[in-house]
Structures are given as C-alpha cells and as structure tokens.
Amino acid sequence: EELLAKLLNQVHDHEPEADKTFDDLQHAIDRLPHRHHAEQIMRTAQDAMDGNLDAQHYPVEPSDVGVIVRTHMENSRRHAVLKFREDWGLVDIITATKLINTMLDRHVIGKDDLDIGEDLSKLLTAAVKNRYYQTDAKRLDVRELSPLQYKRELRKALREFADQVIADFG
C-alpha cells in the first residue's frame, strides 16, 4: 500500500522516480500470496503509469489505497461492460446493462449459469427484437450476422466475457 501510494503521488507530480517505484512495487507484488488482489494492485499501478488513473485527492496516503484500487476495479469493470455492449450493439437495449450486471454478479468461472432467471434469454430476445445490432454494433462482423447467428454468437461471447470479467475484476 505504501509503494502504490508513493507511485500514485510520483505519477501525479511527474517525478522520474516513478519508474523505479513501479519496479519495486512489481517485485513486492510478486511475493504476495493472494494473487487476485495482487493482480488488481498491479493493474491499478499500470493504469496509473499509463495515465489512465487519477485519485480523488493528493497526496495519496497508504490508507487510501484500498479504496482507490476497489474504485478503479469497479470503473474498469463498468468500462468493460460498456465496450462489450457497444461491440455487440446492445447500447439501446434499455435492460442490457442491468441484465449483464446481474449475470456477472452471480457468475462462476466455467459454469453455464448466465440464464438463471432467464436473464440471458431476455437479453437475447431484446437484442434481436428491433435488430439494433445490425446498425449499432461497432464490430462489422456482428452487424452482418443473421438474428439466429447473432443470438448464438452473443451467447458464446457473453460466456467468454463473463469468465474474463470475473477473472479480472472479481
């Protein structure tokens, strides 16, 4: 926590020592037993180095680090869901965000548990109802799918996406 706080302050102040602190942090994280938490700290540090993280206040104290990492992971998850919705043309599906988040909140990696309560079925039905995906999807290959192909591919993509989100953001 002390090293991440130091790194965030150095990045904020554009100090050249940030690279050395980042390396020190990486070595310290490699020794942490709780790998998921270690990966979240490292992702937060990397995003700070890349200029994609801004703490609410400076200087950052070690006691602030837990909240900063947690908030950053929540925001990263939200952005990942938004990108997925954009890629698959789900932005105008009013219930898409709620349904996707509900599925993610209860998902266990590797389990076929996305359609509990028929959430996946509801999303798939809404997604093809007006065929918004054919004009709104950012991915050209998605726009070209027939409704049946779209449902099948979206179901597969959601399973892969859910596993990745749970692995990355817990």
Side-chain angles (χ1 to χ4, degrees):
E1 290 177 346
E2 288 178 22
L3 281 172
L4 184 55
K6 180 179 177 181
L7 175 70
L8 294 175
N9 290 324
Q10 288 174 335
V11 168
H12 178 262
D13 296 337
H14 306 288
E15 294 180 16
E17 296 85 16
D19 289 331
K20 167 95 171 75
T21 303
F22 181 80
D23 290 341
D24 293 345
L25 178 63
Q26 193 166 21
H27 292 302
I29 286 174
D30 288 343
R31 293 188 300 269
L32 290 177
H34 191 267
R35 296 310 314 153
H36 186 68
H37 183 64
E39 290 168 9
Q40 289 180 340
I41 292 170
M42 202 60 225
R43 190 174 299 114
T44 302
Q46 184 62 59
D47 286 347
M49 293 293 288
D50 294 341
N52 298 324
L53 177 93
D54 190 30
Q56 296 295 330
H57 64 278
Y58 289 93
V60 173
E61 299 295 328
S63 60
D64 302 329
V65 167
V67 172
I68 291 170
V69 170
R70 200 169 28 260
T71 302
H72 183 62
M73 289 301 101
E74 290 167 3
N75 287 335
S76 296
R77 176 180 159 161
R78 188 178 60 76
H79 287 293
V81 170
L82 176 60
K83 183 182 180 323
F84 183 87
R85 289 177 47 229
E86 289 172 343
D87 285 348
W88 285 90
L90 299 170
V91 174
D92 284 338
I93 308 300
I94 295 169
T95 58
T97 301
K98 181 177 183 249
L99 289 170
I100 291 171
N101 282 327
T102 298
M103 288 184 274
L104 292 175
D105 288 344
R106 67 170 177 251
H107 180 63
V108 176
I109 294 175
K111 297 288 185 186
D112 187 14
D113 57 4
L114 298 181
D115 206 24
I116 295 173
E118 298 185 357
D119 291 330
L120 180 57
S121 296
K122 290 175 192 171
L123 179 62
L124 294 174
T125 300
V128 297
K129 180 179 179 183
N130 294 316
R131 297 188 186 184
Y132 290 136
Y133 75 91
Q134 292 177 332
T135 56
D136 294 355
K138 283 194 172 183
R139 291 180 38 196
L140 179 60
D141 62 320
V142 170
R143 282 188 263 148
E144 295 175 344
L145 296 172
S146 72
L148 186 58
Q149 291 170 321
Y150 176 77
K151 282 177 129 177
R152 183 176 54 244
E153 293 300 315
L154 178 57
R155 179 183 300 271
K156 179 182 165 189
L158 265 167
R159 283 187 185 128
E160 292 169 3
F161 177 70
D163 282 352
Q164 189 63 49
V165 166
I166 298 307
D168 289 349
F169 309 113

